[in-house]
Amino acid sequence: GKKWGADYIFNVSDSGSPYYAEDLKEAIADLTHGDLAHRAIVPTSSNDAFEQAIDITGNAAILVHFGLPDEGDVIHVPALETHTMDKQIRFSWLAPLSWPAAIRAISEGLVDVESLVTSTVPLEETGTAIEDLRARIGDPMKVMIAP
């Protein structure tokens, strides 16, 4: 995260990390003097990640769910808290107008996508790779399928 310009990093899964935070909401509250996060973008289909984003955002926050959930997935939203805190929830999938800028940023070397790939699997193992990705086996970030 620091390599890509993040001002703050929180790691909730590795207690040996210098960025470890046992309680993400508490860590963000400490950083923001109790305000919590103003924005949250969740670029994954993980319902747990989006529900956590709802929890760690504060008053008048804007949340964007940018992942494509599985059929039948349900996101649990605490209705009273979300209403009284005046949060906005936005859903997006393809963002068609963002592709030219994203492709240009990658081609000009502004974004290093290679370092995001956590594993590469052969085409024949695509089914297994998708199952492992959904089950979060090996804590994947991005899995690349190679012919």
Side-chain angles (χ1 to χ4, degrees):
K2 287 285 188 187
K3 186 167 87 173
W4 291 301
D7 293 321
Y8 305 100
I9 298 172
F10 302 101
N11 182 332
V12 296
S13 60
D14 179 5
S15 61
S17 167
Y19 306 109
Y20 179 70
E22 184 174 344
D23 183 322
L24 181 60
K25 185 175 183 178
E26 183 179 306
I28 292 173
D30 287 346
L31 181 68
T32 62
H33 308 288
D35 287 343
L36 297 175
H38 299 284
R39 303 286 185 268
I41 299 172
V42 182
T44 174
S45 61
S46 167
N47 288 341
D48 290 339
F50 192 72
E51 289 174 11
Q52 185 176 50
I54 294 169
D55 187 48
I56 57 106
T57 51
N59 289 327
I62 297 174
L63 296 91
V64 179
H65 189 279
F66 194 66
L68 183 62
D70 286 333
E71 188 174 326
D73 276 359
V74 176
I75 299 170
H76 297 95
V77 177
L80 181 60
E81 175 188 332
T82 306
H83 278 77
T84 58
M85 293 181 80
D86 201 25
K87 294 182 183 186
Q88 294 181 37
I89 297 176
R90 300 175 183 173
F91 296 91
S92 181
W93 181 38
L94 292 176
L97 300 178
S98 66
W99 289 109
I103 291 168
R104 188 173 52 256
I106 292 168
S107 69
E108 293 175 4
L110 300 174
V111 180
D112 174 21
V113 294
E114 298 274 331
S115 62
L116 298 176
V117 176
T118 51
S119 66
T120 302
V121 298
L123 184 60
E124 304 80 40
E125 296 177 22
T126 300
T128 302
I130 290 170
E131 290 172 11
D132 290 351
L133 190 62
R134 284 187 177 147
R136 306 290 307 147
I137 294 173
D139 197 25
M141 174 148 347
K142 294 291 179 190
V143 176
M144 185 166 73
I145 307 297

